[in-house]
Amino acid sequence: MRFSFALPLLTAIAVPQPAWAQVAVADSGDTGWMILCALLVLLAALPGLMLRHAGQVNVRSALSVTAQGAAVAAVAALTWGIAGYSIAYAPGSAWLGGGANLLLANLAQLRDGLTVPESAFVLFQLAIALLAACLLVGAVAERTRIGWWVAFTPLWLLIVYAPVAHAVWGGGWLADMGVMDFAGGLVLHGVAGFSALALSLIAGGRREPSDPGHAPLLSLAGGGLLWVGLSGVVGGWALGATDDAATAILNHLFAACAAALTWGLLDRMLNARTSATGILSGALAGIAAIAASAALVGTGGAMLIGVIAACVARTGAGILSGRVDDGAGVFAIHGLGGLTGVLLLPLFVLPLMGGVGFDANISVGGALTAQAIGLIVVALWAMVGSAIAALVVSVVIPMRVGAQEEADGLDASQHGQQGWDFR
């Protein structure tokens, strides 16, 4: 059944009931679907992002960026289980969740308002949080310490990501204000993109930029895994094996394909050649944009969102080139892509555009205003919170490696190994 769009379902999931109050039984099909979607998202992060980031750096630092991704994934998962989930989804205030689910205590046998056990919901949300954290690694690759990442990741999850997830998805103050985000255009892609921008500015540029990286083929393989794996985010946020899930994945594919071709066409027009890696960058920009409204728009709307997102992200990448050293293009692709989708949502959800429409008490103007305010708040929150966490950790563990270590490559200087054996 398609959504009547006022996010009542996403608000309902924010209030779990105690396990002893449950009398319903979980639907095995919906539970299996949520677990499968969580695994798809984990595939996007490990190995998808690891391969993509490894291909985008110097050959002497490919192993280091992969190791950093693995370390961030491990720390993010533990942090989510200890406190992140509780801050995001346990009953609490409009600003933060409470402590009822610290260390995943008091999980309900059935998530209130859903047909899946709360443990499956936790797993799905863990995978999204882990992916968001792993996206940041590529933005400042080739110049940061793995120890710094281990200390920074839990602070970032608890200061930046979990409060935003609560505010938008956990029934918090942004949701009350009317901010709408079906599957992470704002919470996942937007937060990661603007956090990546802040980290890139703090870290500064590489002394020897290696764009487009030593192994574009690895980047393409990783991007392909992201393309497939991120379908788990939009499919899982339907919260069951339903028509909404199928619609969301279809629109995810349509937006990605339209954006990939648009980015390739722009490359051809501007540079006389179509970049192979650019095609995947376009697809990911379309995916970031459609996340906000994947189950809520029509087929044509999804395609148009992909086209517009590719134009915005490709233009942004060109403007930022040489100004901000974000080797993986996290801000241009995910930040600007997500931003585009969030702002386009109120227009493309209209029945005239093939969308499901608004509830009677929601106006287009009011929705646009709420989306714009939500975007500004989340962008500032992500950048300021990321900067605070980065600078606090840097007092104890320097963020950036030394000049000689960077010149030698982080594989050897940080790990005493190399990504490729050239003997």
Side-chain angles (χ1 to χ4, degrees):
M1 183 173 65
R2 302 293 294 277
F3 278 1
S4 176
F5 192 60
L7 295 192
L9 183 56
L10 300 188
T11 302
I13 65 174
V15 188
Q17 294 181 352
W20 56 83
Q22 303 295 329
V23 294
V25 177
D27 183 279
S28 60
D30 289 343
T31 302
W33 175 250
M34 290 289 288
I35 293 172
L36 174 62
C37 286
L39 293 176
L40 280 172
V41 180
L42 290 174
L43 179 70
L46 306 166
L49 276 175
M50 295 170 73
L51 288 173
R52 180 166 172 78
H53 291 162
Q56 291 172 316
V57 298
N58 189 287
V59 66
R60 299 187 300 273
S61 295
L63 185 65
S64 72
V65 74
T66 305
Q68 288 174 2
V72 166
V75 176
L78 294 176
T79 303
W80 192 253
I82 293 169
Y85 177 77
S86 194
I87 290 173
Y89 291 105
S93 69
W95 295 90
L96 293 173
N101 298 132
L102 292 174
L103 287 170
L104 301 186
N106 305 311
L107 295 185
Q109 294 178 11
L110 193 67
R111 179 77 188 185
D112 187 39
L114 304 182
T115 56
V116 299
E118 191 168 10
S119 58
F121 184 75
V122 171
L123 175 63
F124 177 65
Q125 295 301 328
L126 181 152
I128 297 176
L130 182 152
L131 175 67
C134 288
L135 276 169
L136 304 181
V137 173
V140 288
E142 300 185 78
R143 65 208 113 138
T144 50
R145 303 174 188 272
I146 190 171
W148 182 87
W149 278 110
V150 170
F152 168 80
T153 301
L155 280 181
W156 181 81
L157 269 177
L158 299 178
I159 292 174
V160 177
Y161 180 82
V164 172
H166 177 77
V168 179
W169 285 340
W173 67 283
L174 288 178
D176 290 340
M177 193 177 69
V179 175
M180 299 170 285
D181 183 11
F182 175 74
L186 187 60
V187 178
L188 169 58
H189 300 282
V191 167
F194 283 97
S195 295
L197 177 61
L199 295 183
S200 297
L201 293 172
I202 292 171
R206 291 165 289 181
R207 293 176 175 87
E208 296 180 12
S210 54
D211 296 335
H214 83 285
L217 189 58
L218 284 182
S219 297
L220 287 170
L225 285 170
L226 271 174
W227 186 335
V228 175
L230 285 171
S231 65
V233 179
V234 296
W237 259 117
L239 304 173
T242 64
D243 174 58
D244 285 325
T247 298
I249 293 175
L250 280 171
N251 285 337
H252 163 97
L253 181 62
F254 293 143
C257 292
L261 295 176
T262 301
W263 191 299
L265 178 61
L266 290 173
D267 273 351
R268 179 72 175 177
M269 293 169 59
L270 298 173
N271 300 327
R273 293 178 180 173
T274 298
S275 165
T277 53
I279 292 174
L280 260 295
S281 295
L284 294 176
I287 288 169
I290 197 60
S293 57
L296 311 168
V297 298
T299 299
M303 294 177 182
L304 282 174
I305 287 173
V307 169
I308 296 169
C311 293
V312 172
R314 176 64 178 77
T315 302
I319 294 172
L320 292 171
S321 178
R323 295 178 173 86
V324 178
D325 190 356
D326 177 356
V330 179
F331 174 68
I333 294 171
H334 297 274
L336 294 181
L339 173 156
T340 303
V342 169
L343 293 179
L344 291 177
L345 184 154
L347 300 178
F348 284 90
V349 79
L350 294 172
L352 179 65
M353 302 295 292
V356 299
F358 292 105
D359 279 357
N361 61 337
I362 299 177
S363 68
V364 176
L368 282 168
T369 301
Q371 295 297 89
I373 293 173
L375 179 59
I376 293 169
V377 168
V378 169
L380 291 175
W381 190 299
M383 294 189 70
V384 173
S386 297
I388 291 172
L391 295 174
V392 166
V393 173
S394 295
V395 172
V396 181
I397 304 173
M399 178 183 190
R400 187 154 182 161
V401 300
Q404 189 59 49
E405 291 177 289
E406 187 175 339
D408 293 340
L410 271 61
D411 289 2
S413 62
Q414 293 282 297
H415 305 289
Q417 297 173 299
Q418 59 187 27
W420 307 101
D421 189 344
F422 296 107
R423 292 176 297 176

